[in-house]
Amino acid sequence: CQTIFGFFLLNCRQWNCAVVLVCLCMQYDNVNRRISHSAPSYFPPALLGCSLVFMVQGFYSASDDVVELNPSNFNREVLQSDSLWLIEFYAPWCGHCQSLTADWKKTATALKGIVKVGAVDADQHNSLGGQYSVRGFPTIKIFGANKNKPDDYQGGRNSQAIVDGALNALHTLVKDRMSGRSGGSDYSRQSGGGGGSKKDVVELTDDNFDRLVLNSGEVWLVEFFAPWCGHCKSLEPEWAAAASAVKEQTKDKVHLGAVDATVHQGLASRYGIRGFPTIKIFKKGEEPEDYQGGRTRGDIIAGALDLFSDNAAPPELLEILNADVLKKTCDDYQLCVIAVLPHILDTGAAGRNGYLEVMMKMAEKYKKKMWGWLWTEAGVQMELEASLGIGGFGYPAMAAINARKMKFALLKGSFSETGIHEFLRDLSVGRGSTATVGGGALPNINSVEAWDGKDGELPVEDDYDLSDVDLDDNFGKDEL
């Protein structure tokens, strides 16, 4: 018996196997002492081995309506399912588990086609038990709308009580779905609070990854996660909040996605995922790289905006030709920076292009801010000038408008790279004085022709022929 025990202790990965063997060895030894003189062969080693195998096998077979679950099929059968699941976590050596077996089978048969009933040998598959905080046996959990946060079943342990509990849970699930509160079998099932919309995190799969990420030509930050991973659950609200902010601030040019690496193992293998969560950066035509930044929403947003600015074209500098140009730019961006440039006759094409070049350099420098950039000629949009307090003099002038608040700030320094940089830097950190846009709304805008890029020309005056005019030679003389 000691020889057999040593063999199984070295080769059996589960302690209950050795425990059962110890018990059998003790029984074998006690009985053998009593009957050794008359029947020493009643408990041969072969019988002991057979008894061991029988004792550690699971409680359920393929002919039962109970679904045997393990790490290989749990995600597919349970987490990716829209069905309600009732799952028993048991240990083969547990007496209460053995007593529950008949009622559990009866429950599964009664609920067949209505509620899924499963069982996990948590002694053999202790990773699953640990994932769902199983501390004793049997533990029954109800996997409803949020599959990653199951509820503990607290009712009686007979088939009738269990069926009633399952039907009550099903009723709750249906009511939640009717009110739109049901969870989905996607990234949004992970636990955690908000601050952003989970719908802005793109759920990526084996089927859509290449199309959405690799062939899009846009920048992607992709989180590879596992539903059971504690660090992934902590990251989830930060990732969701960052996804919403990045979507808005980059005009949907940088995307945050998520891959359940336990389900889409091909993707995880392709990109060498070894731990969770792992974040990868995907850019067009380049090999993916590891994200090395912080894991707070602020860090993720900053990293995404850096990626956007590195890969984005400079903002477009538009002339205000009509009301639509002003409205769209100021509505779409947090700030719209507007320059009122001197009349073309005062500067010529070279002078105007110099001012526009300064503006473009500043637009490039601050492009990660996602501001709109506009210009107009002095005297063309007088209502706009009046609403900003520019007032018909002091050109070139510059103002920055926040159309949501109808507030603006004026450039007080020089219209130069240094002066504009100081002005915009102060705005970026919330310094500088602001005022309300005149009238509390964007002003009326005149529709005009676009500048043709040429020097201005003085208007041609009509020539007058004075030969037929009879002038009085005495005109203007005083008579005495």
Side-chain angles (χ1 to χ4, degrees):
C1 185
Q2 291 175 347
T3 301
I4 298 172
F5 174 74
F7 172 80
F8 277 99
L9 185 61
L10 291 174
N11 289 278
C12 181
R13 291 180 295 177
Q14 303 298 329
W15 278 104
N16 65 291
C17 177
V19 171
V20 172
L21 183 57
V22 169
C23 295
L24 288 175
C25 282
M26 292 173 65
Q27 290 284 62
Y28 176 80
D29 188 54
N30 289 336
V31 174
N32 202 38
R33 286 179 182 178
R34 297 177 185 175
I35 62 175
S36 57
H37 297 292
S38 58
S41 60
Y42 279 2
F43 293 93
L47 179 57
L48 181 63
C50 292
S51 299
L52 173 67
V53 172
F54 174 79
M55 288 296 291
V56 298
Q57 281 181 338
F59 293 166
Y60 308 102
S61 65
S63 62
D64 295 320
D65 293 316
V66 177
V67 180
E68 278 276 20
L69 298 166
N70 55 60
S72 299
N73 66 6
F74 196 88
N75 283 297
R76 182 182 69 253
E77 295 285 349
V78 180
L79 299 185
Q80 299 305 308
S81 167
D82 289 324
S83 300
L84 181 78
W85 276 84
L86 206 61
I87 299 177
E88 173 203 8
F89 293 82
Y90 71 91
W93 45 262
C94 163
H96 292 297
C97 303
Q98 295 167 16
S99 299
L100 179 63
T101 301
D103 281 294
W104 198 247
K105 291 180 180 180
K106 191 174 179 180
T107 297
T109 301
L111 294 174
K112 187 175 182 180
I114 303 170
V115 173
K116 298 275 190 179
V117 177
V120 175
D121 182 344
D123 196 58
Q124 181 180 357
H125 307 298
N126 50 34
S127 62
L128 277 178
Q131 178 179 335
Y132 296 106
S133 303
V134 174
R135 297 289 181 263
F137 305 111
T139 293
I140 300 173
K141 290 188 176 280
I142 301 171
F143 288 73
N146 187 346
K147 292 294 196 295
N148 288 304
K149 196 174 181 181
D151 297 316
D152 289 326
Y153 169 76
Q154 304 287 4
R157 297 304 172 98
N158 57 74
S159 58
Q160 184 60 60
I162 297 170
V163 168
D164 289 343
L167 293 178
N168 287 335
L170 184 61
H171 179 68
T172 300
L173 176 62
V174 172
K175 286 181 64 178
D176 286 346
R177 288 180 178 176
M178 289 289 289
S179 62
R181 296 196 300 270
S182 62
S185 57
D186 56 13
Y187 180 78
S188 66
R189 277 186 175 168
Q190 292 194 72
S191 61
S197 174
K198 298 185 181 75
K199 66 180 177 59
D200 292 326
V201 177
V202 182
E203 183 185 5
L204 298 168
T205 67
D206 290 320
D207 295 331
N208 67 13
F209 190 90
D210 287 4
R211 172 172 55 83
L212 293 180
V213 179
L214 301 185
N215 299 331
S216 70
E218 296 175 339
V219 178
W220 282 80
L221 279 79
V222 179
E223 175 204 4
F224 293 83
F225 72 92
W228 46 261
C229 162
H231 292 298
C232 302
K233 293 176 182 178
S234 298
L235 176 63
E236 187 273 336
E238 304 299 311
W239 197 248
S244 298
V246 169
K247 180 178 181 179
E248 178 182 1
Q249 295 183 41
T250 68
K251 302 304 172 190
D252 210 15
K253 297 298 183 184
V254 176
H255 309 274
L256 270 65
V259 175
D260 185 342
T262 65
V263 175
H264 307 291
Q265 298 179 8
L267 283 175
S269 176
R270 188 199 305 186
Y271 295 110
I273 305 303
R274 295 290 180 267
F276 306 113
T278 293
I279 300 173
K280 295 272 187 183
I281 300 169
F282 292 82
K283 294 182 283 190
K284 183 180 180 181
E286 300 182 24
E287 288 295 313
E289 59 188 78
D290 289 331
Y291 168 78
Q292 303 289 358
R295 301 299 176 93
T296 67
R297 66 193 67 187
D299 292 331
I300 297 165
I301 292 168
L305 293 180
D306 284 339
L307 288 168
F308 174 74
S309 62
D310 291 342
N311 293 274
E316 192 174 5
L317 177 57
L318 300 174
E319 184 179 2
I320 303 174
L321 302 178
N322 51 57
D324 289 341
V325 173
L326 178 67
K327 186 177 189 310
K328 186 175 190 314
T329 303
C330 290
D331 284 350
D332 286 354
Y333 298 98
Q334 180 185 12
L335 290 179
C336 50
V337 181
I338 301 174
V340 182
L341 303 181
H343 195 283
I344 189 64
L345 292 177
D346 295 331
T347 63
R352 176 168 289 182
N353 284 326
Y355 289 131
L356 294 176
E357 183 178 352
V358 169
M359 288 193 71
M360 285 304 304
K361 287 181 179 179
M362 290 297 99
E364 170 71 27
K365 187 178 187 69
Y366 285 89
K367 66 181 181 179
K368 71 171 62 177
K369 296 293 185 181
M370 293 301 297
W371 293 340
W373 295 78
L374 301 169
W375 71 276
T376 186
E377 182 180 77
V380 172
Q381 306 293 351
M382 290 303 296
E383 289 191 41
L384 176 62
E385 292 186 39
S387 70
L388 299 177
I390 292 174
F393 62 90
Y395 306 114
M398 177 176 283
I401 301 177
N402 183 329
R404 292 174 178 82
K405 298 180 179 179
M406 280 300 154
K407 297 285 187 179
F408 75 94
L410 283 176
L411 169 67
K412 301 294 180 62
S414 64
F415 196 101
S416 63
E417 290 184 39
T418 301
I420 295 174
H421 169 60
E422 291 176 353
F423 170 57
L424 298 179
R425 182 191 60 199
D426 287 347
L427 288 180
S428 300
V429 296
R431 293 202 300 261
S433 60
T434 62
T436 301
V437 175
L442 294 177
N444 294 324
I445 297 296
N446 298 321
S447 295
V448 297
E449 295 293 328
W451 178 48
D452 60 8
K454 300 177 182 178
D455 287 324
E457 295 181 359
L458 288 171
V460 178
E461 296 183 0
D462 294 335
D463 293 330
Y464 294 97
D465 184 2
L466 302 179
S467 61
D468 294 334
V469 178
D470 184 17
L471 297 176
D472 187 350
D473 291 339
N474 295 324
F475 177 78
K477 294 181 180 180
D478 292 331
E479 294 183 357
L480 296 175

